[in-house]
Amino acid sequence: MSNNSAIRVTRLNKTVNTQEGMLTILDGICMEVKHGESVAILGPSGSGKSTLLGLLAALDSPTAGEIHLDGTALSTLNEEGKALLRKQKVSFIFQSFMLVDTLNALENVMLPAELAGIKDAKQKAEAMLTRVGLSHRLNHFPNQLSGGEQQRVAIARAFIGEPKVLFADEPTGNLDGANSDKVADMLFELNQENHTTLVLVTHDLALANRCQRQFIMDSGELTEKDAQLRSVDTTEQQQNASEGESEVSTWN
């Protein structure tokens, strides 16, 4: 395996028993993602995208095949070992935010840092919330925040531990257009600044096209978007970025 591989997947299968018999969710998936890359996984509902993401993040186990995460074969780890690997190297952003209702914004962001034994967790959480434009919302609880604000808290929480790999499942799916753009901007800014490997599952073509690579999931099979089309997308992104260099993001 390449020393530059953050993720390497070989002949991955996932099957489950149903009343109608054995159902194949993933069928022979192979992929490799380099450190610092941004990758989008597209496909219709029920195609296996979220199942694949859960397997890559060591939240579930495959029926067959192998996953290497930052050089570690997940099949060699027990559940305790997988939990330790996630704590040390992985963060996850959910479409439904998954904030703790009884904790305010600052406490939600501090939580994974404290569990990981990170020093100065409070100061780092304050800095991350300021980074995402929420310095005035530190003491607000999730039910006092808008959807866009809750997702920005989730992003701050995901990045506080400086993960090597960030998985995001429909990170803009519950947001309106303006907040969707702001959340996407923040994800890619932090991805580039921290050299974090970013793997997104999304239905949003605009979000997917901001990634360096795109994969299509269909009926449990994964194929990478044509390299030539990807090159065109990259050129368009560079042109758009050049045209918008003078614009400054404003967080509400």
Side-chain angles (χ1 to χ4, degrees), residues 24-36:
T24 298
I25 301 176
L26 300 178
D27 187 11
I29 301 296
C30 295
M31 70 183 300
E32 185 169 4
V33 181
K34 295 180 180 179
H35 287 292

Side-chain angles (χ1 to χ4, degrees), residues 21 26 40 46 60 91 100 115 136 139 164 181 199 205 208 220 244 247:
L26 300 178
D60 192 9
S91 280
V100 180
L115 292 175
H136 61 304
N139 298 314
K164 290 194 172 183
D181 290 342
V199 181
L205 291 176
E247 295 182 5

Side-chain angles (χ1 to χ4, degrees), residues 6 35 56-59 69-72 74 77-92 111-118 157-167 194-197:
H35 287 292
L56 297 180
L59 296 171
L69 183 61
D70 195 35
T72 299
L74 297 187
L77 303 176
N78 58 20
E79 290 306 313
E80 183 178 347
K82 290 179 181 178
L84 180 61
L85 182 71
R86 287 193 299 269
K87 184 171 72 171
Q88 293 175 338
K89 299 184 178 183
V90 172
S91 280
F92 210 108
L111 183 60
E114 290 178 327
L115 292 175
I118 294 175
R157 180 183 61 184
F159 276 99
I160 190 171
E162 299 182 359
K164 290 194 172 183
V165 183
L166 176 65
F167 297 102
N194 298 338
H195 199 60
T196 301
T197 304

Side-chain angles (χ1 to χ4, degrees), residues 75-244:
S75 63
T76 66
L77 303 176
N78 58 20
E79 290 306 313
E80 183 178 347
K82 290 179 181 178
L84 180 61
L85 182 71
R86 287 193 299 269
K87 184 171 72 171
Q88 293 175 338
K89 299 184 178 183
V90 172
S91 280
F92 210 108
I93 296 176
F94 301 89
Q95 180 179 358
S96 55
F97 315 136
M98 300 294 286
L99 301 179
V100 180
D101 291 338
T102 56
L103 301 180
N104 62 31
L106 180 62
E107 292 165 340
N108 263 286
V109 177
M110 287 173 58
L111 183 60
E114 290 178 327
L115 292 175
I118 294 175
K119 296 180 179 179
D120 303 323
K122 182 177 181 180
Q123 289 80 358
K124 290 184 177 181
E126 289 176 344
M128 284 304 306
L129 285 166
T130 298
R131 180 72 176 81
V132 299
L134 292 176
S135 59
H136 61 304
R137 297 291 202 196
L138 301 182
N139 298 314
H140 287 67
F141 290 86
N143 64 2
Q144 297 173 310
L145 301 172
S146 69
E149 288 172 334
Q150 289 185 60
Q151 193 63 303
R152 283 149 60 190
V153 172
I155 289 174
R157 180 183 61 184
F159 276 99
I160 190 171
E162 299 182 359
K164 290 194 172 183
V165 183
L166 176 65
F167 297 102
D169 193 358
E170 297 287 0
T172 61
N174 284 333
L175 305 178
D176 59 34
N179 277 313
S180 176
D181 290 342
K182 292 173 182 178
V183 164
D185 289 343
M186 181 56 57
L187 278 173
F188 288 103
E189 285 171 14
L190 292 171
N191 156 249
Q192 293 171 7
E193 290 174 11
N194 298 338
H195 199 60
T196 301
T197 304
L198 180 61
V199 181
L200 304 173
V201 159
T202 184
H203 286 96
D204 186 340
L205 291 176
L207 179 63
N209 283 333
R210 294 183 65 170
C211 294
Q212 293 168 302
R213 299 166 67 195
Q214 298 87 35
F215 289 84
I216 309 298
M217 180 75 80
D218 188 20
S219 300
E221 297 184 353
L222 189 73
T223 56
E224 186 165 7
K225 188 177 177 181
D226 185 83
Q228 183 176 359
L229 292 177
R230 192 168 69 242
S231 176
V232 172
D233 287 339
T234 301
T235 300
E236 291 175 350
Q237 291 169 36
Q238 292 173 343
Q239 291 173 345
N240 291 337
S242 177
E243 292 170 358

